Amino acid sequence: MSLFDDDFYSTRVSRKAVRSSEREGKSFSFGKPRRDGSWSNVRIALTSSLVSAVAAVTVFGLSVGFGGGGSVQKVNPAVATVQTGDPLERTIQAAEKVRPAVVSIINEQALSSMGAGADDLDEYGDEGMGLEEASLGSGVIFQKEKGKAYIITNNHVVEDAAAVKAVLSNGEIREASVVGKDSITDLAVLEIDSKGIDVVAEIGDSNGLRAGQWVMAIGNPLGLSDSLTMGIVSKTHRIIPVSLSQDGVFDWEQEVIQIDASINQGNSGGPLIDLNGKVVGINSMKVADFGVEGVGFAIPSKYAMPIVESLMEFGKVTRPYLGVYTMDLEQYWAQQANQTDAENSGLDDEDWLEDGEAAGDGDGTELPPIELKLPKDVRDGVIVLEAVGPAKDAGLAFNDVIVKLDKQPISSTMELRKYLYAKKKIGDKIEVTLYRDGEKQTLQLELGEKAEE
């Protein structure tokens, strides 16, 4: 069954309908004047009405700008396009425009049977170290420059890769290198040789999307390369909480486009295009749950492209760094409520968040039990588990509870991170309001740049 019903969506009128209308319709004619030169009252009235109508239309046309100083009524070009274009043909043309620029991404990792990870390649080299296909994804070529072609994809598509390959639309496999990646926005840029690549995708403006608008997802779902799916924009702006460290603690929020076009494993990193063949988003994720269908998400182009530009220029996204490992006060209260023995008062390393990021391996040091002294009305904030860098230099310490940044209330690690990344820059001064041993204090510090791991 086709997606569109031709009879319903077509703007053409069938010849049969025209002939039927001509047979049933009635012609209105003024006829000829009588031989004696006289006109009937009916004919005079009809002629007078016609002249009056023409005059009224002419005056109105002049007033709205057919010629003169009146204002011209603007027509939404998107609406006009939808009304006059054949939906079936537009989808075909849009797909043909972008498909040659869509590639499949192969993430290769060290053979698990050898007990080696990607880091071991640095020590042993590629020789003698087997690689296997770990995952598949998609990407889109968006730029060609100086003999290189650049591809946008998702960070999770190339995460932990020992080697990355790009498969062109013609089936050719090329070695790819990672220019830069960012786990927070889940974006990455790859580089391949541009020889023989003639098509580069055009980036569109996701700000112009409207709910109900037709869009298409192109990619490599389930290893089926060069696949297209189609649907509508379900919601132009949807906020999705994400756990960057995959520990079940939501420490970031991603603003995405919600679509009902089918998104499956392998579609990640591929383009979401409009019916003009422009990339308006990067397919990123879907809701994978029993009984859930048609709920997919894409990173809007307006958010993706500034990140891509930073990755192209610096190989990373530079962000301000406070230097605190934290735990949400809300989580602490929940633990206290459910605590059954003294052992639960400690924290594992994976519970630590550094400016909202996973703390990593840690040094194995056991934290002393958290015993907070807070006013009864303080229920929201973040607990400092360890201070490093700028925070340590400013005097922040274990068990401090941060409640404000620059007088902006902070109730969670997510809010702390969002404030830093949205409102501050590296080198900016920031005021930290906190409680220490029940006493309210204020510290000033200068935000730094986080060093590479």
Side-chain angles (χ1 to χ4, degrees), residues 173-192:
I173 300 176
R174 296 192 181 182
E175 298 288 338
S177 59
V178 178
V179 175
K181 56 184 180 178
D182 182 57
S183 61
I184 293 176
T185 56
D186 194 25
L187 289 168
V189 174
L190 309 180
E191 176 186 271
I192 62 173

Side-chain angles (χ1 to χ4, degrees), residues 348-428:
D348 295 330
D349 286 341
E350 60 264 24
D351 292 319
W352 296 28
L353 300 172
E354 182 180 18
D355 284 5
E357 296 179 5
D361 296 334
D363 57 7
T365 304
E366 252 187 74
L367 286 173
I370 298 176
E371 297 179 359
L372 300 180
K373 295 179 181 179
L374 291 170
K376 291 183 179 180
D377 59 341
V378 177
R379 304 297 296 178
D380 295 320
V382 292
I383 307 168
V384 176
L385 303 180
E386 184 181 6
V388 297
K392 183 178 181 181
D393 295 340
L396 280 166
F398 174 74
N399 262 13
D400 287 346
V401 178
I402 299 174
V403 294
K404 290 182 180 180
L405 296 178
D406 291 337
K407 298 182 173 55
Q408 171 71 37
I410 300 296
S411 62
S412 66
T413 299
M414 184 187 298
E415 288 188 4
L416 180 146
R417 168 182 260 162
K418 289 179 67 176
Y419 182 81
L420 288 177
Y421 294 170
K423 304 294 184 181
K424 310 300 287 187
K425 296 182 296 184
I426 297 169
D428 282 357

Side-chain angles (χ1 to χ4, degrees), residues 111-414:
L111 286 169
S112 56
S113 60
M114 301 184 67
D119 294 337
D120 295 319
L121 292 178
D122 295 335
E123 181 177 353
Y124 297 106
D126 292 337
E127 295 183 5
M129 180 66 70
L131 296 178
E132 63 180 354
E133 184 181 290
S135 63
L136 294 172
S138 305
V140 59
I141 301 171
F142 73 100
Q143 184 174 320
K144 277 178 59 179
E145 186 178 70
K146 298 179 180 179
K148 299 293 183 181
Y150 296 93
I151 302 167
I152 304 175
T153 187
N154 286 142
N155 172 72
H156 76 261
V157 169
V158 297
E159 194 170 19
D160 298 326
V164 179
K165 289 184 171 63
V167 185
L168 305 184
S169 58
N170 61 7
E172 182 184 350
I173 300 176
R174 296 192 181 182
E175 298 288 338
S177 59
V178 178
V179 175
K181 56 184 180 178
D182 182 57
S183 61
I184 293 176
T185 56
D186 194 25
L187 289 168
V189 174
L190 309 180
E191 176 186 271
I192 62 173
D193 191 323
S194 66
K195 183 179 180 180
I197 295 176
D198 301 317
V199 178
V200 173
E202 182 180 357
I203 304 298
D205 184 6
S206 58
N207 280 326
L209 290 176
R210 296 173 296 163
Q213 179 175 336
W214 288 107
V215 288
M216 302 173 69
I218 310 179
N220 181 33
L222 308 177
L224 304 172
S225 61
D226 196 25
S227 293
L228 297 90
T229 57
M230 187 170 181
I232 62 169
V233 174
S234 304
K235 190 172 181 62
T236 56
H237 299 89
R238 176 75 70 190
I239 302 297
I240 300 296
V242 294
S243 176
L244 297 175
S245 54
Q246 301 297 314
D247 60 357
V249 178
F250 295 126
D251 45 12
W252 186 243
E253 289 181 337
Q254 185 82 285
E255 184 167 343
V256 293
I257 305 164
Q258 182 183 333
I259 58 176
D260 74 346
S262 296
I263 300 293
N264 292 292
Q265 185 176 359
N267 269 118
S268 295
L272 182 73
I273 67 171
D274 61 19
L275 293 192
N276 295 316
K278 296 182 179 181
V279 178
V280 292
I282 302 298
N283 302 317
S284 181
M285 57 183 131
K286 65 173 290 188
V287 175
D289 201 356
F290 179 76
V292 178
E293 293 182 4
V295 182
F297 303 102
I299 304 169
S301 60
K302 68 175 180 179
Y303 294 131
M305 292 317 294
I307 300 298
V308 168
E309 291 169 4
S310 180
L311 295 177
M312 290 281 287
E313 184 174 357
F314 305 110
K316 61 179 181 178
V317 179
T318 57
R319 294 187 175 96
Y321 177 58
L322 182 61
V324 287
Y325 294 88
T326 64
M327 176 185 182
D328 292 352
L329 189 56
E330 180 182 11
Q331 185 182 358
Y332 168 78
W333 294 131
Q335 286 187 359
Q336 292 296 304
N338 298 323
Q339 189 175 20
T340 57
D341 52 53
E343 189 176 353
N344 289 332
S345 65
L347 293 173
D348 295 330
D349 286 341
E350 60 264 24
D351 292 319
W352 296 28
L353 300 172
E354 182 180 18
D355 284 5
E357 296 179 5
D361 296 334
D363 57 7
T365 304
E366 252 187 74
L367 286 173
I370 298 176
E371 297 179 359
L372 300 180
K373 295 179 181 179
L374 291 170
K376 291 183 179 180
D377 59 341
V378 177
R379 304 297 296 178
D380 295 320
V382 292
I383 307 168
V384 176
L385 303 180
E386 184 181 6
V388 297
K392 183 178 181 181
D393 295 340
L396 280 166
F398 174 74
N399 262 13
D400 287 346
V401 178
I402 299 174
V403 294
K404 290 182 180 180
L405 296 178
D406 291 337
K407 298 182 173 55
Q408 171 71 37
I410 300 296
S411 62
S412 66
T413 299
M414 184 187 298

